[in-house]
Amino acid sequence: MQTRPHPCPAPEPQWWASQDEESLTVGPLDEREDVIAEALGQGDFKEIEPDGYDFSKGYDHPDNKALTGWKAGIWVGQYQRNHVDLSKWFVADAWIDNLFDQMDDENGGDEDGSNHPLEELSKEDIATLEESVRLAIWHWQHRRQIKLRAYSMNLISGGDFVTLPHPENPAG
C-alpha cells in the first residue's frame, strides 16, 4: 500500500499547562513562559504546602497560617494535536462481509445461501478495492479540509512539573 501524507496535517505543536498531566486546561500558546504565566493567572496550579506544614492541624490553624513558602506546581508540555486520517479506517474485507448480510435474495445467493455473487471476488480484487476506496476517502477529506481532531495529543517536548513561588506568596 502506498503511503500518503495526512489529508489534513495537524497544526504545529503548542504549549499546554495544568495541575497534572491528565487534563490539559491552559493553552494552546506559542511560548512555554506564556502558558506558565496564564496558568498562574487563572489559578490553574497545584498548591504545594511549605516545609513544616502540619496536616493534622488544618489550614486555618495559626501554626500553619504563619508558614511562608507556599509553592505553585504546574505541569507544562508542548503538545501536537492529532488529526484522524479517515481513509486508514476503511477495511474492504469487513465491508464485503457486511454486504453478504445486506444483499437480499434477488441480488444475493441462491435459496440455500450458496453461490453468492460476492464469492467471485479474489483477494486481489478486495485489496485493490480497499486501496481505491481509501484513496477516494483521502481525497474527499483533503478537498473538504475535514480535520477530525482527536481528543488525544502527542507530547513533543517538555512534560515537566515546574514548581514556582505561589502567586499569593511570591516571597516564598
Side-chain angles (χ1 to χ4, degrees), residues 18-25 75 79 151:
S18 67
Q19 294 182 25
D20 57 50
E21 63 185 293
E22 294 299 316
S23 58
L24 303 171
T25 53
W75 174 265
Y79 290 83
Y151 176 76

Side-chain angles (χ1 to χ4, degrees), residues 24-91:
L24 303 171
T25 53
V26 180
L29 293 170
D30 292 331
E31 301 294 329
R32 183 178 191 270
E33 296 76 22
D34 293 342
V35 80
I36 291 172
E38 184 73 18
L40 284 172
Q42 291 182 18
D44 199 346
F45 52 83
K46 180 178 182 180
E47 291 189 318
I48 302 171
E49 297 82 10
D51 290 337
Y53 186 87
D54 188 345
F55 286 94
S56 67
K57 294 181 180 178
Y59 175 75
D60 289 327
H61 191 279
D63 291 346
N64 284 338
K65 280 281 206 188
L67 293 173
T68 60
W70 282 82
K71 302 287 185 198
I74 302 171
W75 174 265
V76 182
Q78 188 179 38
Y79 290 83
Q80 185 169 35
R81 293 183 181 273
N82 289 320
H83 286 181
V84 176
D85 179 352
L86 193 59
S87 69
K88 291 183 177 182
W89 292 93
F90 178 77
V91 179

Side-chain angles (χ1 to χ4, degrees), residues 94-106:
W95 185 69
I96 295 292
D97 287 345
N98 192 34
L99 285 179
F100 266 95
D101 297 335
Q102 290 183 8
M103 293 175 80
D104 61 23
D105 291 334
E106 287 183 31

